């Protein structure tokens, strides 16, 4: 583009952009599309739209009366259709004007929804594989008009001439490409046939391919879409849809959900994945528009929570983007997404009501997806929450099973908190659910909405400590000196020390500490360090009473019973530090540097003490 000299022209005069057509052709043909292979899709699309216009002109004609014929022999690629064709005026108007689609002409503008292509730039994709495009066309709207030939070149130039009617006896269009040497991978006969099947397997008009060897033309789309076929029984239909999904998507579905949205002309299937996928990993879906494959990676067709299915759909009313490789985000797409989400919910509801075996297999694989849906969908919550598996002190169990065993369901706020208390809580008869995983804590707290008799509460250190048996007064007094030494040794970690009796006896100590408590202690420490400064004032304003961790020693453990009798101060401190380190490691939370150092030091000190004693 070149801007004119504004000094030579009176201010305010309108000017016309000067466009470098060769540069624009290069920009659109080499940067709009993701791969050179789309050239064949664009040629097929233009042919299908021409056939659609021909049927609008001759509504009584059968769909099979007009078709598309592909030819590739290694030296040329040719696409011929029996569509509406072009006159010389049409060629000048539509093939030589970038951005103007022939589908907007005359009354056809009122029927844009009948056409796949609506941007008038698809033919430029041919410049990805060829330097020249040859078009020969004859109009069905003006039967007496001559055939017209158009040659467009990648430098932006073109020629047009009229030919005798014998050059194209029947209405329609033939597009011929002479591939460049570097485009052989996309224009070999076997590749052209494969691309035709890939993009056009669901087209409603007959498409054939010939490779120039003299053989019979091979059908590209011999079978209609399976959802458009009538089957003798529902079981036969279900098996056919599943087989199609396995063939197209490459996996045997756990189940197949038929999709049908008449309002937008959408039909297809959703195949339930047979294996677990990470939360949030969205799969691409195969989306056809009026039979033409638009994209194999259309994530936007389903909501994010529906990552347990992959879809194959064909729609009439969805709008492609300019490159026709994704969907245009508009109200129609949003409505389709909501409607398909409702179909998936209906499938889950039917499985819950009538096929418990299928539901069990589905939840075993995709419980996380259902949990993400249940958080926001009250209907799914009511149907499936009691059947969803959770990690509990009774092992992996459904909430329905767990709530029948435990009147009060306790839930932790983190995985590490659950790891700390699981063994002790189980031995004490407490029912604890691991609420540290995504969605779990929120869902467990909603259990009373479904089971009013159930009670749910957060697990806190005081609740757990209250279920540990106190030791008798004599034992407490005998251990007082040791406990004082232990508290002094662990004061640097803001940790108190107590003596209790609990099962299992093999556990010498339990470290009761929460992530929130550690954060509060860290904030208090920073406030002390920054005292007097701006940050100290801010942190001091946020400061609460810092909760202390608690190391609970188990009087039932033989090692602890021996440790509390230690009278040597240094050995008492070292043993307390070792018990703290062992309990911290069993909690499975990340260790602070000071704790790692303590574990190493206490081990070496105990080893040195043992060696001195032996010598």
């Amino acid at each position: 583009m070149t801007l004119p000299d504004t000094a030579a022209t009176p201010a305010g005069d309108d000017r016309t952009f000067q466009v470098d057509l060769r540069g624009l052709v290069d920009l659109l043909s080499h940067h709009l599309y993701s791969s050179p292979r789309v050239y064949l899709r664009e040629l097929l699309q233009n042919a299908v739209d021409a056939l659609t216009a021909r049927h609008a002109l001759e509504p009584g004609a059968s769909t099979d009366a007009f078709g598309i014929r592909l030819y590739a022999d290694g030296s040329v690629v040719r696409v011929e259709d029996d569509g509406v064709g072009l006159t010389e005026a049409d060629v000048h108007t539509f093939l030589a004007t970038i951005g103007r689609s022939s589908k907007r002409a005359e009354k056809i503008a009122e029927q844009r929804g009948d056409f796949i292509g609506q941007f008038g730039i698809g033919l430029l994709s041919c410049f990805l594989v060829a330097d020249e495009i040859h078009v020969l066309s004859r109009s069905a709207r003006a039967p007496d008009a001559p055939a017209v030939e158009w040659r467009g070149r990648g430098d932006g130039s073109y020629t047009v001439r009229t030919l005798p009617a014998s050059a194209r006896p029947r209405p329609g269009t033939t597009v011929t490409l002479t591939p460049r040497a570097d485009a052989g991978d996309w224009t070999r006969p076997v590749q052209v046939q494969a691309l035709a099947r890939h993009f056009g397997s669901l087209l409603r008009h007959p498409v054939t391919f010939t490779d120039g060897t003299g053989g019979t033309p091979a059908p590209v789309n011999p079978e209609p879409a399976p959802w458009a076929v009538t089957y003798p029984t529902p079981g036969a239909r279900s098996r056919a849809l599943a087989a199609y999904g396995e063939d197209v998507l490459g996996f045997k579905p756990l189940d197949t959900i038929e999709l049908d949205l008449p309002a937008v002309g959408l039909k297809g299937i959703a195949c339930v994945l047979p294996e677990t996928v990470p939360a949030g990993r969205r799969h691409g879906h195969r989306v056809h528009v009026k039979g033409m494959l638009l994209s194999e990676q259309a994530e936007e067709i389903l909501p994010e929570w529906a990552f347990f299915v992959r879809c194959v759909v064909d729609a009439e009313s969805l709008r492609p983007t300019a490159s026709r490789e994704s969907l245009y985000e508009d109200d129609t797409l949003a409505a389709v997404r909501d409607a398909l989400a409702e179909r998936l919910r209906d499938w889950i509801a039917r499985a819950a009501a009538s096929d418990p075996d299928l539901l069990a297999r589905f939840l075993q694989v995709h419980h996380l997806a259902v949990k993400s849906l249940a958080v926001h969908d009250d209907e799914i919550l009511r149907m499936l929450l009691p059947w969803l598996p959770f990690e509990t002190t009774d092992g992996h169990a459904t909430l329905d099973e767990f709530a029948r065993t435990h009147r009060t369901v306790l839930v932790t706020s983190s995985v590490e908190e659950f790891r700390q208390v699981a063994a002790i809580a189980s031995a004490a008869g407490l029912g604890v659910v691991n609420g540290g995983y995504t969605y779990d804590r929120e869902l467990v707290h909603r259990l009373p909405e479904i089971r009013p008799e159930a009670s749910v509460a957060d697990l806190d250190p005081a609740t757990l400590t209250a279920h540990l048996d106190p030791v008798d007064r004599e034992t407490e007094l005998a251990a007082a000196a040791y406990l004082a030494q232990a508290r002094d040794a662990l004061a640097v970690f803001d940790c108190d020390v107590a003596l209790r009796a609990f099962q299992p006896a093999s556990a010498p100590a339990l470290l009761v500490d929460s992530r929130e408590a550690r954060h509060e202690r860290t904030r208090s420490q920073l406030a002390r360090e920054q005292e007097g400064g701006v940050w100290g004032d801010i942190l001091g304003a946020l400061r609460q009473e810092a909760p202390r961790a608690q190391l609970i020693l188990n009087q039932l453990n033989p090692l602890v019973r021996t440790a509390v009798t230690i009278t040597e101060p240094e050995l008492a401190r070292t043993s307390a530090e070792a018990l703290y380190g062992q309990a911290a490691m069993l909690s499975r939370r990340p260790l602070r540097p000071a704790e790692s150092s303590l574990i190493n030091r206490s081990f070496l000190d105990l080893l040195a003490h043992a060696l001195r004693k032996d010598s």
Side-chain angles (χ1 to χ4, degrees), residues 38-52:
V38 300
Y39 83 93
L40 192 67
R41 183 196 64 197
E42 296 299 323
L43 291 177
L44 283 172
Q45 169 251 298
N46 286 340
V48 170
D49 285 345
L51 290 173
T52 302

Side-chain angles (χ1 to χ4, degrees), residues 86-88 91 135-137 146-150 160-163:
L86 300 169
T87 63
E88 182 179 2
V91 166
V135 177
L136 179 63
S137 187
V148 59
E149 178 189 67
W150 178 87
V160 179
R161 63 176 181 147
T162 58
L163 301 173

Side-chain angles (χ1 to χ4, degrees), residues 46-58 66-67 81-87 90 94 102-103 105-106 108 111 115 136-143 145 148 168 170-174:
N46 286 340
V48 170
D49 285 345
L51 290 173
T52 302
R54 180 76 181 271
H55 279 287
L57 190 66
E58 304 175 31
F66 309 125
D81 67 68
D82 300 316
V84 71
L86 300 169
T87 63
D90 292 335
F94 302 124
S102 62
K103 275 70 75 175
E106 303 171 2
I108 300 179
Q111 304 168 341
F115 299 92
L136 179 63
S137 187
R138 183 175 177 184
S139 175
R141 287 198 186 88
V148 59
R168 173 82 200 197
R170 297 189 301 171
T173 300
T174 301

Side-chain angles (χ1 to χ4, degrees), residues 389-410:
F390 290 82
E391 185 179 9
T392 75
T393 46
D394 292 350
H396 282 84
T398 66
L399 284 186
D400 200 50
E401 297 168 340
F402 197 67
R404 285 200 298 266
T405 307
H406 302 279
R407 178 180 295 274
T408 299
V409 176
L410 300 173

Side-chain angles (χ1 to χ4, degrees), residues 490 495-498 509-512 549-553 576 579-580 583:
L490 301 179
C495 182
D496 195 9
V497 183
L510 169 66
L511 181 60
V512 179
Q550 192 171 39
L551 180 68
I552 303 175
L553 304 181
L579 288 169
Y580 176 90

Side-chain angles (χ1 to χ4, degrees), residues 255 257 272 305 308 340-360 362-363 370 373 377-385 387:
D255 197 24
I257 308 163
V272 182
W305 57 259
F308 57 89
L340 292 180
E342 190 62 32
R343 296 296 186 274
L344 298 183
R345 291 190 187 94
D346 291 344
W347 174 82
I348 294 174
R350 287 196 303 272
S354 60
D355 197 338
D357 290 339
L358 174 61
L359 179 66
F362 171 66
L363 291 180
V370 177
L373 175 58
D377 192 308
D378 290 344
E379 183 179 354
I380 294 297
L381 180 79
R382 288 191 297 272
M383 285 190 302
L384 296 182
L385 180 59
W387 313 110

Side-chain angles (χ1 to χ4, degrees), residues 212-247:
T213 60
T216 303
V220 168
N221 53 342
E223 301 292 335
W227 47 81
V229 177
T230 301
Y231 298 91
T233 64
R237 182 177 186 85
S238 179
R239 288 189 294 273
L241 293 177
Y244 177 78
E246 182 175 2
D247 180 59

Side-chain angles (χ1 to χ4, degrees), residues 289-338:
V289 175
K290 302 174 183 68
M292 182 71 71
L293 179 63
L294 178 77
S295 174
E296 297 175 275
Q297 300 297 326
E299 297 180 353
E300 61 273 19
I301 196 73
L302 286 181
E304 290 186 7
W305 57 259
F307 54 83
F308 57 89
V309 297
R310 287 191 65 192
C311 294
V312 183
V313 300
D314 185 20
E316 295 289 329
S317 301
L318 295 178
R319 290 176 58 193
T321 58
S323 66
R324 285 183 283 279
E325 296 182 350
S326 58
L327 294 171
Y328 185 81
E329 188 68 47
D330 57 10
D331 291 342
T332 300
L333 179 57
V336 166
R337 186 163 48 236
D338 291 343

